[in-house]
Amino acid sequence: MAVAFPILGLSLWATPYRRGYDVNDMSIRLPYKDQLISVSALAGAGFGFIVCTILLVEIVRDKQGKGVGEKFLSGSVMPGWVWESYRSIGVFAFGASCQQLTSDFAKYVIGRLRPHFIDVCVPYPTANSSANRLGYINDYTCAGSDPAKIAEARLSFPSSHASFSMYCAVFFIFYIQVKGKWRGSKLLRHAVQYAVLIAAWFIGLSRVQDHMHHWSDVAAGFLIGATFASLFIYVLKPKKYGLPETWEEPQVPTNTLPRAVLSSIASTR
């Protein structure tokens, strides 16, 4: 909640920085297009996918006897998989909120113009204004009919879609790598990890295709998402999500004698 309230406050009351524009800048003169993936669709799919993954993995681990066992909470017994799912989902949600706040804060402070800014703003420079010099327009009025689209057109950097999608992808990759183990093909696990990474990559590319972001906005979003996922995996819960020393299951030696036999051998010497 401590992170959710600032995010809500930015969207409700904050005003993005009013940046000028260069009359020769062709990168902000692209036509407006409806976005392929909406914010609500991405958020629902991302959270739903990670939550379902965590629940499935923890239930399977509990059935295999690899869980943490039952926990006592307020005098009642809680299944181990419920406790572990709660902890993991909580870490994921808090990290997602932090990366979202970081992206949104940068959007409002920088106020970079989206590629379709001219199309939705339809700017008219103020005549004889001393603020407009050498083709760079600072003093202008938007004649566009949709104030919400005009405000959104000032929130290009960085891409929140790219940030959140990459956060989910990196979190999933490390979570499955450490906790989603089975005795089947290791290649299948890596194929699933790669598919999720490609999905995040596609979401970022779609933002450029939809004229919602410049390529550098998407690149910065990817970096923010990957950084926060790595931070919450390694720093906050290093023992639980730290990368294993090897990617293979540890092999149990077959030629090791039982302790009782070793003790009897030692006593006869």
Side-chain angles (χ1 to χ4, degrees):
M1 296 299 290
V3 181
F5 280 124
I7 295 176
L8 182 62
L10 282 175
S11 62
L12 293 179
W13 300 298
T15 301
Y17 173 69
R18 183 182 174 87
R19 181 179 296 275
Y21 67 94
D22 191 329
V23 294
N24 297 317
D25 187 358
M26 302 304 297
S27 67
I28 59 174
R29 294 179 177 273
L30 299 179
Y32 177 84
K33 295 173 59 178
D34 291 330
Q35 54 187 346
L36 178 64
I37 303 173
S38 66
V39 174
S40 57
L42 178 62
F47 272 96
F49 176 69
I50 295 298
V51 169
C52 290
T53 298
I54 291 174
L55 291 175
L56 178 62
V57 169
E58 295 300 341
I59 291 175
V60 171
R61 284 174 57 85
D62 187 73
K63 296 296 184 181
Q64 294 176 344
K66 298 179 181 179
V68 297
E70 295 179 338
K71 295 285 185 178
F72 289 92
L73 183 64
S74 300
S76 59
V77 179
M78 176 183 294
W81 69 268
V82 175
W83 175 254
E84 282 299 296
S85 298
Y86 168 76
R87 286 165 57 90
S88 300
I89 293 172
V91 170
F92 168 78
F94 184 63
S97 299
C98 288
Q99 66 82 25
Q100 186 65 42
L101 178 59
T102 301
S103 298
D104 288 351
F105 183 76
K107 283 176 176 289
Y108 282 88
V109 171
I110 295 176
R112 187 179 189 183
L113 306 179
R114 293 186 187 271
H116 59 246
F117 173 76
I118 297 296
D119 191 27
V120 300
C121 173
V122 192
Y124 280 89
T126 302
N128 302 322
S129 174
S130 60
N132 302 332
R133 296 180 179 179
L134 302 177
Y136 192 84
I137 309 301
N138 277 307
D139 190 358
Y140 60 92
T141 302
C142 287
S145 59
D146 194 331
K149 286 184 178 180
I150 295 174
E152 274 291 321
R154 302 181 187 277
L155 302 175
S156 186
F157 182 89
S159 170
S160 294
H161 276 63
S163 176
F164 180 70
S165 62
M166 187 56 67
Y167 173 81
C168 292
V170 174
F171 191 97
F172 172 85
I173 288 171
F174 283 119
Y175 182 85
I176 289 297
Q177 181 63 37
V178 175
K179 305 193 76 174
K181 297 181 179 180
W182 58 86
R183 296 186 179 275
S185 172
K186 299 295 188 299
L187 186 60
L188 177 61
R189 178 173 59 186
H190 302 328
V192 173
Q193 292 169 323
Y194 178 71
V196 172
L197 184 63
I198 287 298
W201 175 252
F202 169 76
I203 291 172
L205 296 181
S206 72
R207 303 303 288 172
V208 179
Q209 185 184 54
D210 292 343
H211 303 167
M212 298 298 293
H213 291 286
H214 308 276
W215 70 266
S216 53
D217 304 333
V218 173
F222 281 153
L223 180 61
I224 292 173
T227 299
F228 272 91
S230 302
L231 175 68
F232 279 82
I233 288 289
Y234 285 111
V235 176
L236 295 186
K237 305 185 74 175
K239 293 182 179 180
K240 185 171 295 295
Y241 296 115
L243 192 65
E245 295 181 0
T246 64
W247 285 24
E248 302 294 335
E249 294 284 355
Q251 300 295 326
V252 179
T254 57
N255 58 348
T256 303
L257 294 175
R259 181 171 298 181
V261 176
L262 293 176
S263 300
S264 62
I265 294 176
S267 61
T268 57
R269 292 183 178 179

